[in-house]
Amino acid sequence: MKLLIDIFGWMGSGLIILAYAITMMENQKFIGYSKYLNLLGGLLIATNCYYYSAIPPFVSNMLWSIIATLTIYKTRKKGPKQNNRKRLT
C-alpha cells in the first residue's frame, strides 16, 4: 500500500508541473487540459499527504482541487462559444 501511495504522490506532482508547463506554453490547443491535470494532481497529492498525516499540505492540495473544480464548472457553464471568443481577444 505504501508504494501505491508514493506513486500517487509522485504522479500528482508530475501532473501539476505538467499543467503549469501547459499554461506557460503559447499554444492554446492544450490549455483546457491544465484544469483537469490540476484537479487530478491535487487529489493524488492530497491522498499521499492524508496517508502520511501531513495535514497542512493535505489542506492546500484539497483547496487546489476545489479551485480546479470551480474553474472547470465555470468554463463549462459559459459554453464553448464564449470560451472561444475570449481566447481570440
Side-chain angles (χ1 to χ4, degrees):
M1 184 66 163
K2 183 183 179 310
L3 178 62
L4 181 63
I5 296 298
D6 288 342
I7 291 171
F8 282 176
W10 284 107
M11 283 176 48
S13 294
L15 291 175
I16 287 177
I17 291 168
L18 180 60
Y20 183 70
I22 288 173
T23 303
M24 299 277 75
M25 291 178 359
E26 295 294 324
N27 187 350
Q28 294 292 318
K29 184 177 178 182
F30 301 108
I31 199 78
Y33 294 116
S34 65
K35 295 174 284 221
Y36 298 101
L37 293 172
N38 276 319
L39 173 60
L40 183 57
L43 290 173
L44 289 172
I45 293 173
T47 302
N48 179 281
C49 293
Y50 182 79
Y51 180 83
Y52 286 109
S53 299
I55 302 306
F58 168 77
V59 171
S60 296
N61 281 287
M62 287 306 295
L63 290 172
W64 188 270
S65 298
I66 290 169
I67 291 167
T69 302
L70 293 173
T71 304
I72 292 167
Y73 176 75
K74 181 181 169 186
T75 55
R76 284 186 177 227
K77 191 175 178 182
K78 283 184 179 179
K81 290 183 180 180
Q82 289 181 354
N83 286 339
N84 287 337
R85 257 189 256 141
K86 195 169 193 171
R87 283 187 199 156
L88 296 175
T89 56

